[in-house]
Every structure is written in structure tokens, then in C-alpha cells.
Amino acid sequence: MKKKWSLITAAAAALALAGCMLAGCGSNDAAKDSANSDTTKLIVGFDQSYPPYGFVGDDGNYTGFDLDLATEVANRNGWDIQLEAIDWDAKDTLLNSGAINCIWNGFTMEGREDDYTFTDPYMLNAQVVVVKSSSGIKSLDDLAGKNVITQTDSAAQEVLEGDKADLAAKFAQLETIGDYNTAFMQLESGAVDAVACDLSIAQYQMSAKPGVYTQLSDELSSEHYAVGVKKGNTELAQKITDTLKAMNEDGTVKQLCEKYADYGLSYENWILK
């Protein structure tokens, strides 16, 4: 009886061990699959109305300097890539939910360091003001009593509501709008007197319509672009940084800058070496 009980116990133990091993393997495989799914696909959140960094090309497809950079980074790391045109106001919700895993679209890092993990900055940028060349507005002081517009949740809005709040207090009104293309349409029509925006946006709009717009010489602020990932995801941020450095060293970045030179993009503003 004791021997029979021992055999039964041993068999039960063996089955339990086998079950644990199978469960363990399944759990590890699931974890591995989950990890792989997080690291083998780059899901890029971008503003589709932000030339030359991300926009809809003449062929109806998404294009832009940052999207080209992201695609090349993904290719070099063996990642799939998914380009997601997003509502800019929803970018934090989308990033935290995993619907996107990076924000890569002329994304200013200053003032946002506590909210994201960033790559090393790669592009020099500034916040500037653009007016119609025929407006007679020559300086920031001339904006007193004028209607100024900027993009909702943009770096320009943050500056005008922060460090430059005293300047904005002199405006007749500081308006916000969903995208810069519409903001410049309002400027051209005379609905507003000035657009506060990124330097790159100003350069693009001025190159698209030579002589129509003028950028005021005084900058609102100086800053940098970087790729933002979910807070704590240092591995992805570092991988992107390292790949961008390699792309600069082999001349790929310079080629992409030249591709978008007609949009006002300059390799001189690239700072990641």
C-alpha cells in the first residue's frame, strides 16, 4: 500500500511539474512575444499638417523630413513602421495607451522634459512671428493691439502664455487653431495680423510664397526638436539617438535635408553629431 501510494504521489508530482513547466514556458513565451511586439514596431504619431516635418504630399501620401528619418531608423533596426496622423491635442493619451510609441514631428522638448523620455535633441529650432510683408509690422512691439494666432498646444502658445505673457497681454487677442496651414490662410486673408510658430514652419511658408510673408527679426524663444517616447522608455530613446547619429555620420541626414531644402529646411540646424 505504501509503495502504491508512493507511485501515485510520484506520478502526481510529475504531472504537476510538467504542468508548471508548460505554464512557465507559456508565460515566458507570452512575455517574450509581448516584449518583441513593443520593440519591433515603431508607431509614429505626427501632425499631418506640419510641413516640412510631416504632411500630405502631392501624391496624397504622408511625407516629410521627420517621417523619412523615422522610416530609415526603423529600417536600420529591423522594425516595422506605422505612421499615425493624430489629433495633436490627443498625443499624450495615445502615447500612454500604446496606440503610438513615439511622437516624432518637429516636437519641442523644452518645458516637456517631465512628461516624456526624449532622445538627444537633433534639430535647432526657435519660436518666431510671421506677418504679411505689406502689414507695416516691423517688431514685436508693433504687435500691440493686433490679432495673433498659433497652433493649439504648441511651443509658441506655451511661450506666449509663459515667458512672453507680458507681450501677449498687449495683443488684441491671442487665438489658437488646430493646424498652421489654416493659421497662415487666415493671415493671408487678413483675418489675423500675425502667426506665432516654429522657425521651420515660418521658413516653409515663406519659401512657398516668396514676398508674401516676413519673419520678425526678434525670436520669441530658442529651443530644440527631439523624439518623445513614453516616460521611462530609455531603451527606445537611446536606440533612436544612436541610429540618428549613424545616419548623420554616413551622410543620410544631409541628403534628407537637401531633399527638403525647397521647404526651408537647412542642414545647418542639425545638431546631433
Side-chain angles (χ1 to χ4, degrees), residues 5 49 55 61 63 84 86 110 118 123 127 143 151 160 174-175 178-179 185 189 197 200 239 242 244 261-262:
W5 178 253
S49 302
F55 60 103
N61 295 320
T63 188
E84 284 290 334
I86 63 172
E110 279 83 0
F118 282 101
M123 206 76 170
Q127 295 305 315
L143 294 174
Q151 186 181 42
L160 288 170
L174 175 61
E175 302 177 33
D179 66 88
M185 289 173 61
S189 71
C197 61
S200 58
K239 193 65 176 178
D242 293 342
L244 287 175
D262 289 344

Side-chain angles (χ1 to χ4, degrees), residues 191-269:
V192 298
D193 301 296
V195 177
C197 61
D198 287 19
L199 174 63
S200 58
I201 297 297
Q203 291 172 331
Y204 165 72
Q205 295 288 347
M206 289 188 296
S207 65
K209 296 188 175 182
V212 175
Y213 304 125
T214 296
Q215 176 189 317
L216 301 186
S217 58
D218 293 333
E219 297 177 350
L220 296 173
S221 67
S222 179
E223 58 202 26
H224 303 86
Y225 285 159
V227 182
V229 302
K230 190 173 182 179
K231 191 71 174 178
N233 195 350
T234 55
E235 183 178 353
L236 178 57
Q238 189 60 53
K239 193 65 176 178
I240 294 173
T241 295
D242 293 342
T243 309
L244 287 175
K245 286 181 179 179
M247 288 166 55
N248 182 62
E249 289 174 1
D250 66 23
T252 301
V253 168
K254 188 173 183 180
Q255 291 175 1
L256 290 177
C257 288
E258 291 170 351
K259 175 181 176 180
Y260 293 98
D262 289 344
Y263 292 85
L265 197 70
S266 173
Y267 180 65
E268 292 181 359
N269 290 334

Side-chain angles (χ1 to χ4, degrees), residues 26-265:
S27 177
N28 289 338
D29 286 344
K32 184 177 180 182
D33 289 342
S34 176
N36 286 340
S37 68
D38 289 340
T39 58
T40 61
K41 189 172 190 178
L42 192 65
I43 309 174
V44 180
F46 70 99
D47 179 351
Q48 66 176 333
S49 302
Y50 205 78
Y53 290 89
F55 60 103
V56 179
D58 294 337
D59 59 0
N61 295 320
Y62 295 133
T63 188
F65 178 67
D66 275 351
L67 302 189
D68 284 0
L69 286 178
T71 299
E72 182 64 16
V73 166
N75 288 341
R76 294 193 182 202
N77 286 287
W79 300 334
D80 292 330
I81 187 165
Q82 181 177 331
L83 302 178
E84 284 290 334
I86 63 172
D87 178 350
W88 197 244
D89 289 347
K91 60 185 179 297
D92 294 346
T93 300
L94 294 170
L95 184 65
N96 290 328
S97 71
I100 59 175
N101 57 16
C102 71
I103 301 171
W104 197 335
N105 193 206
F107 195 39
T108 300
M109 64 184 296
E110 279 83 0
R112 295 174 167 140
E113 294 90 345
D114 293 338
D115 301 321
Y116 310 90
T117 291
F118 282 101
T119 64
D120 288 359
Y122 62 91
M123 206 76 170
L124 181 65
N125 185 45
Q127 295 305 315
V128 299
V129 175
V130 177
V131 299
K132 290 182 71 173
S133 299
S134 59
S135 68
I137 299 172
K138 304 297 183 183
S139 69
L140 294 178
D141 290 338
D142 293 338
L143 294 174
K146 305 296 184 182
N147 292 319
V148 181
I149 196 168
T150 190
Q151 186 181 42
T152 303
D153 198 30
S154 64
Q157 180 183 2
E158 184 175 339
V159 170
L160 288 170
E161 293 178 349
D163 293 344
K164 295 293 184 180
D166 289 345
L167 172 67
K170 299 176 183 177
F171 299 163
Q173 187 175 7
L174 175 61
E175 302 177 33
T176 60
I177 200 166
D179 66 88
Y180 276 121
N181 285 337
T182 306
F184 273 89
M185 289 173 61
Q186 293 203 14
L187 176 61
E188 188 172 3
S189 71
V192 298
D193 301 296
V195 177
C197 61
D198 287 19
L199 174 63
S200 58
I201 297 297
Q203 291 172 331
Y204 165 72
Q205 295 288 347
M206 289 188 296
S207 65
K209 296 188 175 182
V212 175
Y213 304 125
T214 296
Q215 176 189 317
L216 301 186
S217 58
D218 293 333
E219 297 177 350
L220 296 173
S221 67
S222 179
E223 58 202 26
H224 303 86
Y225 285 159
V227 182
V229 302
K230 190 173 182 179
K231 191 71 174 178
N233 195 350
T234 55
E235 183 178 353
L236 178 57
Q238 189 60 53
K239 193 65 176 178
I240 294 173
T241 295
D242 293 342
T243 309
L244 287 175
K245 286 181 179 179
M247 288 166 55
N248 182 62
E249 289 174 1
D250 66 23
T252 301
V253 168
K254 188 173 183 180
Q255 291 175 1
L256 290 177
C257 288
E258 291 170 351
K259 175 181 176 180
Y260 293 98
D262 289 344
Y263 292 85
L265 197 70

